[in-house]
Amino acid sequence: MALKLHPMAFPSHSHRRNLLSHCTNLISSQVFMASNHSSATLEVEKKPYHPAKEAPGLQVTHSISPEKLEIFKSLENWAEDNILVYLNSVEKNWQPQDFLPTSESEEGFYEQVKELRERSKEIPDAYLVVLVGNMITEEALPTYQTVLNSLDGTRDETGASLSPWAIWVRAWTAEENRHGDLLNKYLYLSGRVDMRQIEKTIQYLIGAGMYTKWENNPYKGFIYTSFQERATFVSHGNTARLVKAHGDIKLAQICGTVASDEKRHEAAYTKIVEKLFEIDPDGTMLDLADMLRKKITMPSLLIHDGLDDNLFQHYSAVAQRIGVYTANDYADIMEFLVSRWEIEKLTGLSSEGQRAQDYVCGLPPKIRRLQERAQKMAKKASAVPFSWIFGRELTI
C-alpha cells in the first residue's frame, strides 16, 4: 500500500530556518528573564553583614587632651626600659605543641590522643562550658589588638612601628595568641565539645567587636587592661584548680601556664598605670573612678553563638556558680589594684580627685554587700542549653 504524504507534513527549508530562529530567540529570552530573576532574587536576599550583637549606647571618642598625649611621648624611653622587659624571648617561650600530642609519629599520636580523651572524660559539663568561654575570649585576639591600636598616643602608626608602645602591643598579641591556639586544639582533641558551634561563636564575637568605653584614651585603656589581665589570671588559675580535682593534670598544667602569662602581662600594665599615678595623680585618679563607675565589662560581653541571645549572662552565671570567676573576684581585683597603686595614700589631689579617691576605695566592700543581697534574692535556678556541649543543659 502506497503512503501518500501531504506536502505540508514536512516544512520547507526556509520555514525550518525561521522556526529555529524563533525558538532560539524564545529560549534566549527565557534564559535572560530567568537570569534577571535570579539576580533580582539574590539582590533581595543578600543583605549587608551586620553584627549579631551590638555595643549598648553611644561611646565617647578621643577624650584625652593634647597635653596628656605628650606624657606618653615623653615616656617612650621609660617604656622601653621598664615595660618591654616583661616580654619573653620567642626562643625561650613555651609553645602550644609543648602540651599537645606529637603528630610526627602516627602510632604515638593516636595513643596520646586516646590518653587525652580518657583524662577529659571526667570533666563536668559546667567546667567545659567555662573552659570554652575562656578559650573563645582568648581567640578574639584580633579585636584586642585593634582596640589597643585605637589608643591616642600609643597606637602603632605604621603596622611595624619601632615605638616601644607599638612593639609592646604586637609582642603582647603574639604571646597571647598561643593561649587560644592551645586551648582550642586541646578541646578539639578531647571530643567533648561541638567545635563547629564554638567556631561560629568565635566568628560572631570577632565580628561584633568589643565594648571598651576607653574613649581612645590610653589612661583608661591601661586601667582596663590592668584589671582584665588580673581577671584572666584569676579565671584560668581557678579553672586549673578545678580540672585538676577531676583528674586532668595535663589540662590543669595548661590552664596554670596560661594564668602565669596573664600574671606577667598584668605586671606590665599595672606598672604603666603606677607611672601615670606618679606623673599625673589627679588625672589618673579621675580616669580610674570613671572606668569603675562605667564598670569594667569583660571582652566577651558581645559573645553570641547564633542561638542564645543571652549567652554572656548564661556563661557568666555558670562561671559564678562553680567558682571560676565571681562577683567577689571582681571586688578582690579592685582591692588588689587599690593596694598595688597605693590609692589610699595619694595626697595633693584636687577636690574632685579626692571624691574619686573616696569612691574607688569604698567600692569593693559595696560590691560585696550588693553580691550578698543578690544571692539572698536570687531566683530559683533554671536549666539552660549550651550549644558548645551539643545542647546539653546546665543549671544557672
Side-chain angles (χ1 to χ4, degrees):
M1 178 179 174
L3 181 63
K4 186 177 180 181
L5 299 179
H6 193 279
M8 293 300 294
F10 295 96
S12 66
H13 178 71
S14 62
H15 183 74
R16 288 197 304 270
R17 187 173 65 248
N18 291 339
L19 183 61
L20 179 62
S21 176
H22 174 73
C23 291
T24 302
N25 290 338
L26 180 62
I27 291 170
S28 298
S29 173
Q30 289 174 337
V31 169
F32 177 76
M33 289 172 65
S35 175
N36 276 0
H37 175 71
S38 176
S39 298
T41 303
L42 282 173
E43 286 177 7
V44 170
E45 292 177 354
K46 183 70 174 177
K47 296 179 181 178
Y49 177 84
H50 198 271
K53 302 282 284 186
E54 295 181 41
L58 297 174
Q59 296 192 61
V60 176
T61 58
H62 307 290
S63 64
I64 191 170
S65 68
E67 296 77 21
K68 291 190 176 183
L69 279 178
E70 286 300 315
I71 290 176
F72 288 91
K73 183 67 178 175
S74 70
L75 285 175
E76 287 192 351
N77 290 337
W78 175 87
E80 183 170 5
D81 294 336
N82 294 274
I83 300 304
L84 298 188
V85 294
Y86 285 100
L87 296 165
N88 285 345
S89 160
V90 175
E91 295 301 324
K92 294 181 180 178
N93 244 329
W94 63 266
Q95 297 299 331
Q97 191 53 54
D98 298 336
F99 301 89
L100 296 168
T102 52
S103 57
E104 297 89 335
S105 167
E106 185 174 312
E107 186 175 333
F109 175 73
Y110 289 129
E111 189 61 35
Q112 290 172 52
V113 171
K114 184 179 179 181
E115 291 173 3
L116 185 156
R117 290 187 169 220
E118 283 298 317
R119 289 195 308 268
S120 69
K121 275 183 179 179
E122 302 303 318
I123 300 175
D125 279 349
Y127 295 10
L128 285 175
V129 162
V130 173
L131 192 63
V132 168
N134 286 350
M135 179 268 280
I136 290 170
T137 303
E138 297 283 358
E139 289 280 54
L141 189 61
T143 297
Y144 315 146
Q145 184 173 17
T146 298
V147 294
L148 281 170
N149 275 328
S150 75
L151 295 177
D152 296 327
T154 60
R155 68 169 59 91
D156 186 343
E157 296 286 359
T158 68
S161 168
L162 295 181
S163 155
W165 301 117
I167 291 172
W168 166 262
V169 170
R170 292 197 305 270
W172 170 85
T173 302
E175 289 196 345
E176 289 277 335
N177 186 61
R178 300 166 304 148
H179 302 170
D181 277 356
L182 175 53
L183 292 169
N184 190 314
K185 289 171 183 173
Y186 196 91
L187 285 165
Y188 165 71
L189 292 172
S190 77
R192 296 286 312 280
V193 295
D194 187 334
M195 287 305 300
R196 193 170 196 281
Q197 277 301 124
I198 291 169
E199 289 160 354
K200 282 171 57 180
T201 308
I202 293 168
Q203 186 172 353
Y204 271 124
L205 181 56
I206 295 174
M210 180 179 167
Y211 185 39
T212 67
K213 298 173 278 189
W214 297 358
E215 304 172 8
N216 308 99
N217 185 329
Y219 279 72
K220 299 177 192 289
F222 292 136
I223 287 167
Y224 178 96
T225 51
S226 296
F227 192 104
Q228 184 56 39
E229 292 287 13
R230 182 74 181 180
T232 50
F233 160 69
V234 169
S235 180
H236 286 297
N238 285 338
T239 305
R241 175 177 51 81
L242 292 169
V243 296
K244 183 178 181 180
H246 284 272
D248 197 332
I249 305 301
K250 178 63 75 173
L251 182 55
Q253 182 187 8
I254 287 171
C255 294
T257 301
V258 171
S260 179
D261 268 6
E262 305 292 8
K263 179 70 173 171
R264 177 164 49 85
H265 295 158
E266 169 213 306
Y269 285 119
T270 55
K271 194 172 187 69
I272 294 171
V273 178
E274 178 185 47
K275 188 67 174 178
L276 292 176
F277 269 115
E278 178 187 319
I279 295 172
D280 181 16
D282 207 63
T284 309
M285 189 71 254
L286 292 172
D287 280 326
L288 174 59
D290 179 63
M291 286 300 293
L292 293 180
R293 283 193 181 95
K294 293 186 293 192
K295 294 184 181 178
I296 304 288
T297 54
M298 296 299 104
S300 56
L301 178 69
L302 303 179
I303 198 169
H304 189 58
D305 62 351
L307 299 170
D308 187 351
D309 286 333
N310 298 305
L311 183 55
F312 177 77
Q313 289 76 13
H314 294 155
Y315 150 63
S316 300
V318 174
Q320 166 83 27
R321 180 173 65 80
I322 66 175
V324 165
Y325 187 75
T326 69
N328 281 329
D329 289 323
Y330 188 93
D332 287 344
I333 292 169
M334 284 188 192
E335 287 181 339
F336 169 81
L337 294 175
V338 165
S339 173
R340 171 69 180 80
W341 296 324
E342 299 185 332
I343 289 173
E344 291 177 326
K345 299 178 182 178
L346 287 176
T347 58
L349 299 174
S350 66
S351 57
E352 191 179 3
Q354 288 174 7
R355 287 194 296 273
Q357 182 183 36
D358 292 341
Y359 169 77
V360 169
C361 293
L363 198 53
K366 181 180 178 181
I367 288 174
R368 294 190 198 283
R369 289 194 298 272
L370 289 172
Q371 172 62 14
E372 290 172 4
R373 193 180 308 165
Q375 286 178 336
K376 291 177 182 177
M377 298 173 63
K379 296 178 181 178
K380 186 179 178 181
S382 58
V384 173
F386 284 86
S387 68
W388 304 336
I389 51 171
F390 304 98
R392 296 193 294 273
E393 293 186 343
L394 290 177
T395 300
I396 63 170

